[in-house]
Amino acid sequence: MTFSIAAQVGDAFGVAVASKFPFVGAVVPEVRLGVGAVATQAMARVSYRGTALAALAEGLDASVAVEACTTPDEAREHRQLGVVGVDAQATFTGAECMDWAGGVCGRESSGGYAIQGNILTGPEVVEAMESAWLGSAGASLTDRLIATLLAGDEAGGDSRGRQGAALYAVAPGAGYDGCGVLADVRVDDHPDAPRELARLLRVNDLLFGRPEDVQPLTGALAEEVSARLARLGHGGDDVAEALERWAGEANYEMRMTPDGIDAKVLAALREETA
């Protein structure tokens, strides 16, 4: 019912998944800081997530984590599983999964990945996903995950169509108030779920990302920002204080910095006052 990737970039782990199945984000992905990422699908068994992560937390290999899930399960041949740990990865496709079904896993310098899918248009889906993952080396985990998912969708994806998608990723100190969540984004029922997921991920990044490409609030830029803020009802002599007030109202507080204005916040301000 699904195609997914579980992956690692340094100390960040995540899963991205899409399917002609609603609420897929409630079933397939599970990620734990410092431990790894798991995707359970086909005739998914949700308990695989906890079993696999517990094995990884004990220091066991990803392939052993897969065995811990599948060996005692009489229905294992109807299931699929991807597991990525700190130093190992594995993918499993049961012999009775609906065609086309299969997966691939590997490791690069930044970490491991496991890609798998079932009821796909063909093996080209998994092949396109692996190419997209490897070709995006150097980008952030969330950017790589969504690029990989979109590549699989563009290659044919789920042969039944589109409905649900999700992306869940963690990294130490990331997210709101440093909670560790890079992204927890779901599309539960949408005719173009993968692209809607990509749109929501951009919003997530704007709200929860860290400041980047910061420019000092001096000279012409300070004058521009002050004028735009005044049009939004946030005028005042101190442009930094006015920016802080507007940013809090617009939910951009995570991107605030005493060093100036974040590039994405500036773009949002310009768009709102265009």
Side-chain angles (χ1 to χ4, degrees):
M1 67 175 185
T2 304
F3 55 102
S4 69
I5 174 170
Q8 168 193 15
V9 172
D11 55 6
F13 290 93
V15 173
V17 56
S19 178
K20 183 64 172 73
F21 185 90
F23 308 103
V24 70
V27 176
V28 173
E30 187 65 54
V31 186
R32 189 180 301 172
L33 274 169
V35 176
V38 177
T40 175
Q41 57 196 52
M43 196 172 79
R45 189 166 192 175
V46 176
S47 64
Y48 274 11
R49 304 185 312 192
T51 299
L53 287 170
L56 294 176
E58 292 175 7
L60 300 177
D61 187 84
S63 61
V64 178
V66 168
E67 292 174 1
C69 295
T70 59
T71 299
D73 180 11
E74 294 183 356
R76 58 185 173 274
E77 298 303 336
H78 297 275
R79 308 196 199 278
Q80 256 187 334
L81 179 63
V83 178
V84 174
V86 173
D87 55 10
Q89 59 286 324
T91 186
F92 169 83
T93 297
E96 300 300 320
C97 287
M98 297 176 68
D99 287 336
W100 187 88
V104 64
C105 63
R107 180 157 289 265
E108 52 186 356
S109 60
S110 62
Y113 62 91
I115 297 168
Q116 45 280 317
N118 61 90
I119 321 183
L120 303 182
T121 56
E124 65 275 3
V125 177
V126 168
E127 293 166 2
M129 292 175 73
E130 184 176 36
S131 293
W133 175 260
L134 296 175
S136 63
S140 70
L141 173 63
T142 52
D143 283 350
R144 297 185 73 183
L145 288 173
I146 196 65
T148 300
L149 198 71
L150 291 176
D153 180 68
E154 291 167 5
D158 190 322
S159 61
R160 301 165 303 167
R162 306 175 178 93
Q163 190 166 5
L167 190 154
Y168 183 35
V170 300
Y176 197 86
D177 199 30
C179 66
V181 179
L182 275 170
D184 185 0
V185 184
R186 295 182 183 182
V187 177
D188 289 331
D189 186 13
H190 193 282
D192 198 358
R195 283 165 184 76
E196 176 64 6
L197 183 70
R199 184 190 70 81
L200 291 175
L201 186 63
R202 291 192 293 271
V203 176
N204 179 90
D205 180 56
L206 176 60
L207 296 184
F208 301 126
R210 295 173 178 174
E212 55 187 287
D213 300 326
V214 175
Q215 301 180 59
L217 281 170
T218 57
L221 180 60
E223 293 176 4
E224 176 196 353
V225 169
S226 181
R228 291 182 182 275
L229 289 170
R231 288 160 60 185
L232 296 174
H234 291 281
D237 295 332
D238 191 318
V239 64
E241 290 182 1
L243 177 63
E244 193 79 28
R245 289 195 300 273
W246 171 74
E249 181 181 282
N251 299 318
Y252 299 146
E253 59 266 26
M254 291 298 296
R255 285 190 173 272
M256 289 297 97
T257 169
D259 299 325
I261 185 168
D262 166 270
K264 291 184 178 180
V265 171
L266 177 58
L269 176 62
R270 285 171 171 165
E271 181 177 356
E272 188 168 345
T273 55

